[in-house]
Amino acid sequence: MIQRPRGTRDFFPDELEERRGVEETLRRAVSQWGYREVATPEFEHLELFTIRSGEGIIGEMYAFQDKGGRDLSLRPELTAPVLRMYVNEAKVLNRPVRWYYFGDCFRYERPQKGRYRQFWQFGIELIGADTAQADAEVIAVGSDLLTSAGVTFELRVGHLSMMKSLIADLEPDTQKKVMACLDKRDYGALQTVLPEGDLAERLTALIESRNLDDAFAITGSIPEEARIRETFALLDAHEVPYTQYFGIARGLDYYTGCVFEAFAENLGAENQIMGGGAYRLAHLFGGEDTPSCGFAIGFDRVMVSRGDQGVPRPLTVALVVTPEGRLAGIGAAAAFRRAGVRTLADLTGKSLSAQLSYAAKHADYAVVIGGREAESGMVTLRDLGSGDQETVSVEEAVLRVVSGGSC
């Protein structure tokens, strides 16, 4: 028996229908903000990902050479491919460009709850706007999407300029050590890295502050202060629930301004479900230096966090026929399908009672056609919820099912 590769999954119909339902919910929600979908190849030139993150990430990627000796990789994330697409083909579009994506990515890492080697991301990129309004919109969209997907989460919003202002005078190697300590919340190690002065205490106080006045009392006035205050005021106007958090340490060499993360329930210790912020990547791929802001949502984590919520089953009719009614049943089933109703038909010659038993488990209505119904051109429509039934024409049966009318 050949097993599926480690870190991948098979999806049975119930689970896949739930995933598709949540995916469609996210698509509807993001389109209401004016974002439109784009898609990129599942493999790209390896350089697209190493040019920013360095050769060290290759060990975490599915990298390979094609038959022409070109270095390629399955995509480990989607922001870089989308920005590559923008630089290649969309620089002439009016800005800002509002794009969203949904696709699978691949990373060679240890599988764990909600974390796989093949996983799916849903995200947006707002390209070409460098304003507080743009930052606030992206954060508001992320909050809206998670809420629409039925996720309970905590959203933390900060701005990297505040932390950067405190460590600006440190040597680059020391900055990296400091950020590693802050990322792990290892304040003891931070005191070891910064044994002199009060910088360690000021960094710790900044991370623990939960309002702008306290944070700026620690950092002092900085050039970005007005924009930061405006961003939070706009978030309040969007009615986004969030926590001010100025201790986001990851991505310091990637993000350029506002940063935000969301943490969800039911995910254990690795509970981050969304991350994003303002960044500049286009110039690395041969384009102009272009401000951008975006986020990625771990779709698999969304599904784990939702628990057993499920999604409503599509309206379903089961055809229940005797041998005499089988031909008439084909026409009746076609009428329901033309009306957009999922219609199940028996293919194995089960008895009438066995067909009804199956219908009770998988459908909302049973359409019964025996010899009498076939001769009269009628069907017996049974509401499997209430048990009510009535003999009507095919057209009337379709109308009642579609409109939700009782038998």
Side-chain angles (χ1 to χ4, degrees), residues 84-331:
R84 189 268 309 149
M85 175 182 174
Y86 171 79
V87 169
N88 288 170
E89 306 174 51
K91 291 181 291 187
V92 298
L93 296 180
N94 292 329
R95 301 179 184 178
V97 174
R98 289 181 171 91
W99 283 348
Y100 82 88
Y101 57 78
F102 178 77
D104 53 347
C105 303
F106 305 85
R107 292 180 188 169
Y108 193 84
E109 57 186 3
R110 184 173 63 85
Q112 52 189 298
K113 184 177 182 180
R115 200 177 189 95
Y116 305 93
R117 289 178 174 175
Q118 181 190 19
F119 58 96
W120 278 259
Q121 284 187 346
F122 195 108
I124 73 169
E125 308 299 341
L126 177 60
I127 305 170
D130 188 12
T131 63
Q133 292 94 323
D135 296 344
E137 176 176 291
V138 170
I139 298 169
V141 172
S143 177
D144 189 24
L145 292 187
L146 291 180
T147 300
S148 68
V151 175
T152 301
F153 62 97
E154 177 194 2
L155 177 62
R156 299 176 182 175
V157 183
H159 202 281
L160 288 182
S161 62
M162 307 180 82
M163 187 176 293
K164 286 181 177 180
S165 71
L166 294 181
I167 65 173
D169 294 333
L170 298 177
E171 294 293 329
D173 287 345
T174 304
Q175 286 190 19
K176 291 181 180 179
K177 292 177 182 179
V178 168
M179 300 314 296
C181 295
L182 296 177
D183 189 29
K184 297 176 181 178
R185 306 292 180 265
D186 190 343
Y187 300 130
L190 182 63
Q191 290 285 356
T192 302
V193 175
L194 302 172
E196 300 178 0
D198 64 349
L199 182 54
E201 288 78 9
R202 294 174 67 196
L203 286 167
T204 302
L206 177 64
I207 291 173
E208 294 175 349
S209 65
R210 291 296 179 268
N211 66 74
L212 287 175
D213 290 338
D214 289 347
F216 283 122
I218 297 165
T219 65
S221 180
I222 60 176
E224 298 84 358
E225 179 174 352
R227 175 162 173 170
I228 294 171
R229 291 188 181 277
E230 183 182 5
T231 300
F232 283 110
L234 290 165
L235 288 178
D236 293 337
H238 280 294
E239 298 183 347
V240 173
Y242 65 90
T243 300
Q244 292 181 7
Y245 186 80
F246 305 106
I248 299 175
R250 284 176 292 179
L252 191 65
D253 58 348
Y254 172 66
Y255 293 115
T256 58
C258 81
V259 284
F260 54 96
E261 297 174 337
F263 301 86
E265 297 180 347
N266 305 326
L267 292 177
E270 294 288 335
N271 63 340
Q272 184 176 336
I273 199 168
M274 177 178 72
Y279 64 91
R280 292 174 180 265
L281 274 185
H283 63 287
L284 294 179
F285 307 144
E288 298 177 356
D289 185 19
T290 306
S292 306
C293 190
F295 62 77
I297 292 173
F299 186 75
D300 305 278
R301 295 187 172 198
V302 167
M303 300 308 299
V304 174
S305 179
R306 280 170 44 86
D308 298 326
Q309 292 183 44
V311 294
R313 180 179 65 193
L315 183 63
T316 305
V317 161
L319 204 64
V320 177
V321 299
T322 64
E324 296 82 7
R326 185 164 291 119
L327 294 180
I330 292 175

Side-chain angles (χ1 to χ4, degrees), residues 26-73:
L26 294 176
R27 290 179 187 276
R28 286 196 304 269
V30 77
S31 67
Q32 291 171 355
W33 290 84
Y35 289 77
R36 302 178 67 193
E37 186 175 14
V38 294
T40 62
E42 295 204 0
F43 59 91
E44 297 270 2
H45 289 286
L46 181 62
E47 184 184 13
L48 179 68
F49 306 106
T50 60
I51 195 171
R52 176 179 64 85
S53 302
E55 301 287 330
I57 68 166
I58 295 178
E60 302 172 6
M61 299 167 62
Y62 281 87
F64 59 96
Q65 285 192 338
D66 67 6
K67 294 181 179 180
R70 290 172 284 264
D71 291 318
L72 304 174
S73 173

Side-chain angles (χ1 to χ4, degrees), residues 348-390:
T348 60
K350 290 186 175 71
S351 67
L352 209 62
S353 61
Q355 291 182 59
L356 285 169
S357 177
Y358 179 87
K361 298 177 182 178
H362 299 281
D364 304 292
Y365 294 88
V367 175
V368 183
I369 305 177
R372 179 169 54 85
E373 286 89 357
E375 289 181 6
S376 63
M378 309 288 276
V379 300
T380 297
L381 180 65
R382 177 180 295 184
D383 186 326
L384 295 171
S386 66
D388 297 336
Q389 67 179 43
E390 186 176 354

